[in-house]
Amino acid sequence: MTPGMVLDAMVQEVLENGSVVFGGGPVPDLILRASRYHRAGQELEPGQKKKVVVLHVDALKLEVHVSLHQDLVNRKARKLRKNSRHQGIVQHLEESFAVASLVETGHLVAFSLISHLNDTFHFDSEKLRVGQGVCLTLKTTEPGVTGLILAVEGPASKRIRMPAQRDSETVDDKGEEEEEEEEEDLTVRSKKSHSLAIGDKVTGTIKSVKATHAVVTLDDGFIGCIHVSRILDDVPEGVSPTTTLKAGKKVTARVIGGRDVKTSKFLPISHPRFVLTILELSVRPSELKGDYRALNTHSVSPMEKIRQYQAGQTVTCFLKKYNVMKKWLEVDIEPDIRGRIPLLLTSLSFKVLKHPDKKFQIGQAIKATVVGPDIPRAFLCLSLIGPYKLEEGDVAMGRVLKVLPNKGLTVSFPFGRIGKVSVFHLSDSYSEEPLTDFCPQKIVRCYILSTAHRMLALSLRSSRTNKETKSKIEDPEVNSIEDIQAGQLLRGYVKSILPSSVVIGLGPSVMGLVKHSHVSQCVSREKELYDKCLPEGKLVTARVLCVNPKKNLIELSLLPSDTGKPDVFSASPEPPLPKQEGREGGTEKGLKGESKRSQRRREKNQKMREESGLYSQEKKEPRKSQRGGQSKRERQESESEQELVNKRPKKSGAPEDDDSGVEVYYREGEDEVEEPKVPPGGKQSKPTEVPRLQLSKGFIWDVGLDSLTPALPLRGESSDSEEDEQPHQAKKKKGKKERELEKQKAEKELSRIEEALMDPGRQPESADDFDRLVLSSPNSSILWLQYMAFHLQATEIEKARAVAERALKTISFREEQEKLNVWVALLNLENMYGSQESLAKVFERAVQYNEPLKVFLHLADIYTKSEKFKEAGELYNRMLKRFRQEKAVWIKYGAFVLGRSQAGASHRVLQRALECLPTKEHVDVIVKFAQLEFQLGDVERAKAIFENTLTTYPKRTDVWSVYIDMTIKHGSQKEVRDIFERVIHLSLAPKRMKFFFKRYLDYEKQHGTEKDVQAVKAKALEYVEAKSSALEDQ
């Protein structure tokens, strides 16, 4: 019994699942079974006889799979040709092969489901199903001993979901059999096609005009599209070419290609393969004139087209949209070539970077410079500020990545480059708190000082970034000890306090020492006083005493006599009291200090009186005489003050020896009250008497009330009273016109606010804006992370934590990835702003609520990026114990070790990985470690690993392909050609050999000469002829 035989069988049982069991076969022990699909919708009863066709005989289970489909039982006799293509329908599936029937004849065909030895896993969407349409190429024309014709399956993209074809709007190729095939359950239909070719001229009517393209309806009913780059030959910068086209206008265009676009006419679930052909058209005058010879552009993939662009090349592109989340401009160079312009590469102006939507319009032509191709993502990286190389002396825009207290900034650039800005390069003028104006994600203009290290050295000084402005440099750059001369006055930041000196930072790598004797006139050894008056990061002015280049030593002085600045300890809120050498000496010092302070107080009071008494100049002569009396009182007052100072020790009733500086200092505090003033005609009060309360205007007690003149208020009082009267004067009744204007103004402001809230592209500017956004999209982790970043920019750490906790409670439990994103952001926050204990608590919670391996890997990345290598190493050791069977952990650990230039450790990691992982994972791990060696370690060792692997597994084409990619990036052209020569002489499947020949040809086109290209073509032709002759001999 073989597949394809037609048997007469009796229905034995109809099961509940719809399948049928037959009896009465030629072999008694075999069970004939037809599935529900192969029952073909027939109503069957036990004892009924039917003709069935054998699909497959399972000798192990003693079971025969049969079918009742009439097109299989009554198959047509038609001669088949070898290597001819046919449409087939899958009838039966096994683990390694499938049985299908040809639609035209009904013959049974067998084809393999595995293309190579490593093809062991398929996603559910890639697996075939019974009843599905496939494209088959016949390799034999007559059934062999197995009873089946052998064939191979075509591309998976040509698989057809057969039931879906009954509802689609397609036309059958066979007109004569149309009515017959419509009655069948499974039919194969072909799409409606056109007869146009590349280069044909067509006419049509513009249906609609968009910013980036125009849709044209052709006269024969097909749809065409005119891309914005195919309208004009020379496009001026800033012009939108689509504005020259109008809807309803007749146009003549040239066909330059076509593409299949999924249509939304049907549900994608029931019609996943239904496509509509869109013609790509051009209305360029140069392409419409004369005979158009189309370049072979559509035989080249977009990735190969992108490789043709060189860095530094200028191209004209057209803006498609501004991606707010990713912060880049998406542009189109050609219909099938896309590009991206990072926001930081659009301009060197902060105004443009703040509102790019005002500068760039959709569809606008832009002149850009190619930075380089991004092959994996199939787009070009472009720049609007010229070639972007980040070389020494360049000025570039960056984003603040991290603010390092008392150290500086970490700045990130497009394409992954990172630089550091020292606190001495933030401005041309140092300030007390230089980092207050900076926060993460702030855009800064940077000058590249050095590219010698992996981390760029940057400067934000205006004298570097804007040389045209010629701004004043208050604090010059100090990059080495040669930039400093003795006697120079410099400013710097306190770095640390040593037992015998103070370390002052004068530049990024230049330090100066201040001995304690040169810090202050008040000699003190108290560490608390130094920590209080000279904290880390405090800005001080110092005088250079001497410079010793041999010892790399700079001695500085902070003394007021050297710097001309106040004493560094005098700014403390409670200055230290002088030490008491003796009571008598203390008394003398206290009295001298008191007399000096009283003199300063008199001068201060005199200035205040002069300022408050300016009004007296506008008065009559009596006031002048009174002013003269005041001058006499001042003299008397000074004499009385001097007597008070001399007699004050006796007033306490204790001898002079018992007085001290502390007591004098206390009495000075009591004398801060303003001294009483003597009236012009009054007597001077004795020092021992309690002074009578006096008025500031010299009130005379024996003058009558009638002769008194009312006192004028002070200037401050008069201004206050005038301000109090102004609101009463302003409260006048407004006219009708004024009220209408205010009403219109309020309505306009309200409408402006409403329009701003309704704008979908509006950026949130407050916490309320973010609350509205997260209410509308509660499961979007991007919005929650932006909300956290908003609070972090304002240094509101607790509020950012609260937002993260709120996000974890709000996001649905089904959105695991969204929740994980928030957990990772919270780990980042605690790593940057929290303590080790808070980070550990968040990590433990994250492990409980997420997949532990993902959380461990994310935390390891966080530690590595923040340069906490010790913590990262400890975490990796935990991971290797807990997830020893996961190859991702070993690969990440290997990358971590190689990133720290520990080649020997990486070799040990690879050996441990091979001991712990299953054998089937060994090749992948070895190849990955070889890639890491190419990128981070020793290139020669990487080549040795690849060679050993390919010696053991010579037919692993994926390993060959990776080896070629790595050699192209890190090796010479001779090495690449040697590998290509080896691989094209392997005994592989023709499909694999075609792949390598094509790669070899592309490489020679890009890097070789015309002679090299012809040599590769000759070798490919030689291989094809050898294969053909081998097949003919068989």
Side-chain angles (χ1 to χ4, degrees), residues 300 303-311 372-373 375 380 964-965 968-969 973 976-977 980 998-1014 1016:
V300 181
M303 290 194 180
E304 294 175 349
K305 278 189 178 183
I306 288 174
R307 289 192 181 96
Q308 299 173 2
Y309 288 88
Q310 302 296 326
I375 302 300
L380 280 176
I964 292 171
D965 290 335
I968 290 174
K969 289 182 180 179
Q973 293 188 5
V976 176
R977 289 191 175 98
F980 273 122
K998 190 173 183 302
R999 286 206 61 181
Y1000 195 5
L1001 184 62
D1002 293 340
Y1003 179 79
E1004 293 296 352
K1005 285 181 179 179
Q1006 186 173 0
H1007 300 281
T1009 61
E1010 186 64 29
K1011 184 178 179 181
D1012 297 330
V1013 173
Q1014 295 300 327
V1016 175

Side-chain angles (χ1 to χ4, degrees), residues 6 51 53 68-77 104-107:
V6 178
K51 283 187 176 292
V53 61
L68 294 172
H69 280 293
Q70 293 303 309
D71 56 342
L72 302 182
V73 175
N74 304 320
R75 55 177 174 267
K76 301 174 184 177
E104 298 146 346
T105 62
H107 285 86

Side-chain angles (χ1 to χ4, degrees), residues 94-114:
E94 287 292 325
E95 185 177 357
S96 58
F97 71 94
V99 178
S101 63
L102 300 182
V103 174
E104 298 146 346
T105 62
H107 285 86
L108 295 181
V109 178
F111 62 95
S112 177
L113 297 177
I114 300 175

Side-chain angles (χ1 to χ4, degrees), residues 604-637:
K604 183 177 179 181
N605 292 339
Q606 184 177 356
K607 290 181 180 180
M608 292 176 61
R609 284 196 299 271
E610 289 176 358
E611 292 176 359
S612 62
L614 290 177
Y615 72 93
S616 62
Q617 297 177 2
E618 301 175 0
K619 293 193 175 183
K620 297 181 181 180
E621 283 297 320
R623 292 292 178 184
K624 293 183 179 179
S625 62
Q626 187 177 352
R627 182 179 178 185
Q630 288 180 359
S631 63
K632 293 178 182 179
R633 287 198 306 273
E634 290 175 3
R635 289 194 295 271
Q636 296 171 0
E637 188 178 27

Side-chain angles (χ1 to χ4, degrees), residues 575-586:
L577 298 176
K579 295 183 179 180
Q580 300 180 13
E581 299 178 358
R583 295 186 178 180
E584 185 176 356

